[in-house]
Amino acid sequence: MKHILKLLPFDGYSLALIGTVVLAALMPIQAGWASAFSVLTTMAIALLFFLHGARLARETVIAGITHWRLHLLVLLCTFVLFPLLAMIMRPIVAGLLSPLLATGFLFIALLPSTVQSSIAFTSIARGNVTAAICSAAASNLIGTLLTPALVALFMGIQTHGGDTMAVMRAIMLQLLVPFVAGQLLRPALSGFIARNKQFVTMVDRGSILMVVYGAFSAAVLEGLFRRISVADFGLIFLFSTILLAAVMTISLMVAKKFGFSREDRITILFCGSKKSLATGVPMAGILFPVTQVGTIILPLMVFHQIQLLVCAYLAGRYARDLPASDDGQTSSARSTTLPHAEEPSAT
């Protein structure tokens, strides 16, 4: 079975994600259980970000945070370049997709970067892993406050509930507070996390599957798949591919123009061109009405699969290159590189 899975263009988690959508389509969670499932999902997401905080070593943050030029470029790619490109594409997207799908496509551009997969792909490609950890973490922390503001600015709509400050407080309580708590308790939990990597992975992936199942269940009951055609899926795939290719091309050109080393360019590529499903799905649940979330996150799920496949291919190509950088410099992050045998996380 493992040999068969290796031949597929998706990893096991991607297949589980697709399976969750199929399950929601066939057996959506009914209204009587929806509230209890929503509470469990909220607790799982809080645990997920708590573990994120506990896994990130403070020494690593201190060591990498001084590389401010790299972090600034990653943040500009994530929160400036992405939205500008999405706004340029918006007239075409809005003309060909329904309003909710068009909103979902723009929502992709306003999200922070991924954490685990950005670091994992940077490691496989032999980039600057320390900087990747700091950039990905900073992107997520800043995104908890910046994404709701960008939603109000670029979409021109009121967030769910009409109170942006209330939305920010909800996001901080569900995402940021658990992350900070994990950081504070890291000395006591680092041993447990090291001994129970499978548990951490289960929470990491399982919590997102719970959110997707709950969101798509609500959307299915509202007639999601009756409103979205095969052509819609094809257009979302096309627009997502164009957006990802444009960001990757521009970020690499700018990084090379400003003289970043090969290792730093790899970090900028993988941290600046990816969007977080792990953060985006729960944020959508807070920012938008529950009956709209399933439709709105559909473009994000498509974009997520594309970015994983493209980044996995590029990381493999970088790994097959010579260890020395193409400008004659040696890796500045070789000592902090994660084991190459580690599989990239899907979030």
Side-chain angles (χ1 to χ4, degrees), residues 21-92:
V21 175
V22 173
L23 179 63
L26 299 176
M27 300 177 60
I29 189 167
Q30 300 300 316
W33 296 94
S35 296
F37 188 80
S38 177
V39 172
L40 289 176
T41 302
T42 300
M43 294 172 62
I45 290 294
L47 179 59
L48 166 64
F49 277 81
F50 175 79
L51 293 174
H52 281 342
R55 293 167 68 179
L56 188 62
R58 295 174 203 174
E59 296 81 3
T60 303
V61 175
I62 295 172
I65 202 169
T66 55
H67 202 344
W68 65 269
R69 291 175 67 246
L70 182 148
H71 303 318
L72 178 60
L73 182 53
V74 169
L75 290 174
L76 287 174
C77 289
T78 303
F79 296 113
V80 178
L81 178 60
F82 255 110
L84 288 179
L85 291 174
M87 289 300 292
I88 291 173
M89 297 175 63
R90 189 176 189 180
I92 299 175

Side-chain angles (χ1 to χ4, degrees), residues 18 38 44 89 139 160 167 171 198 221 235 257 271 276 312 329:
I18 295 171
S38 177
M89 297 175 63
S139 176
H160 182 37
V167 171
I171 290 176
Q198 290 185 344
L221 293 176
L235 287 170
K257 177 69 174 179
C271 292
S276 176
Q329 298 177 2

Side-chain angles (χ1 to χ4, degrees), residues 37 109 157 230 247 290 327 337:
F37 188 80
I157 60 174
V230 174
V247 171
V290 64
D327 55 6
T337 300

Side-chain angles (χ1 to χ4, degrees), residues 24-25 27-31 34 100 213-228 289-296:
M27 300 177 60
I29 189 167
Q30 300 300 316
L100 284 182
Y213 177 65
F216 267 84
S217 291
V220 167
L221 293 176
E222 293 294 320
L224 169 66
F225 292 104
R226 291 195 299 270
R227 299 194 303 267
I228 299 178
V290 64
T291 55
Q292 298 180 3
V293 172
T295 305
I296 289 174

Side-chain angles (χ1 to χ4, degrees), residues 157-347:
I157 60 174
Q158 289 291 325
T159 54
H160 182 37
D163 188 345
T164 301
M165 291 305 298
V167 171
M168 289 185 178
R169 285 194 297 269
I171 290 176
M172 291 180 68
L173 286 174
Q174 188 175 353
L175 309 182
L176 184 58
V177 171
F179 184 91
V180 173
Q183 271 283 286
L184 295 175
L185 294 175
R186 174 177 165 76
L189 294 174
S190 58
F192 171 82
I193 292 176
R195 293 190 302 269
N196 295 274
K197 292 181 179 180
Q198 290 185 344
F199 170 74
V200 176
T201 301
M202 180 182 69
V203 173
D204 190 1
R205 301 183 175 190
S207 59
I208 302 305
L209 294 178
M210 291 176 66
V211 174
V212 170
Y213 177 65
F216 267 84
S217 291
V220 167
L221 293 176
E222 293 294 320
L224 169 66
F225 292 104
R226 291 195 299 270
R227 299 194 303 267
I228 299 178
S229 65
V230 174
D232 288 329
F233 279 102
L235 287 170
I236 293 170
F237 183 89
L238 175 62
F239 293 144
S240 297
T241 303
I242 293 172
L243 180 61
L244 179 63
V247 171
M248 284 186 160
T249 301
I250 295 173
S251 62
L252 281 178
M253 289 175 59
V254 173
K256 192 168 185 178
K257 177 69 174 179
F258 281 91
F260 285 95
S261 68
R262 175 185 184 273
E263 290 72 29
D264 288 345
R265 293 201 299 270
I266 289 172
T267 302
I268 292 167
L269 174 67
F270 290 125
C271 292
S273 65
K274 299 172 79 257
K275 293 294 183 175
S276 176
L277 182 70
T279 304
V281 172
M283 274 191 177
I286 297 171
L287 292 168
F288 303 102
V290 64
T291 55
Q292 298 180 3
V293 172
T295 305
I296 289 174
I297 68 171
L298 183 62
L300 175 59
M301 293 181 64
V302 174
F303 184 88
H304 176 77
Q305 303 306 321
I306 296 171
Q307 73 180 8
L308 287 179
L309 294 173
V310 172
C311 289
Y313 171 75
L314 292 176
R317 284 197 58 182
Y318 276 117
R320 289 191 294 271
D321 289 342
L322 293 176
S325 64
D326 54 13
D327 55 6
Q329 298 177 2
T330 56
S331 174
S332 60
R334 196 65 43 78
S335 61
T336 59
T337 300
L338 299 173
H340 289 171
E342 182 178 344
E343 290 292 331
S345 173
T347 58

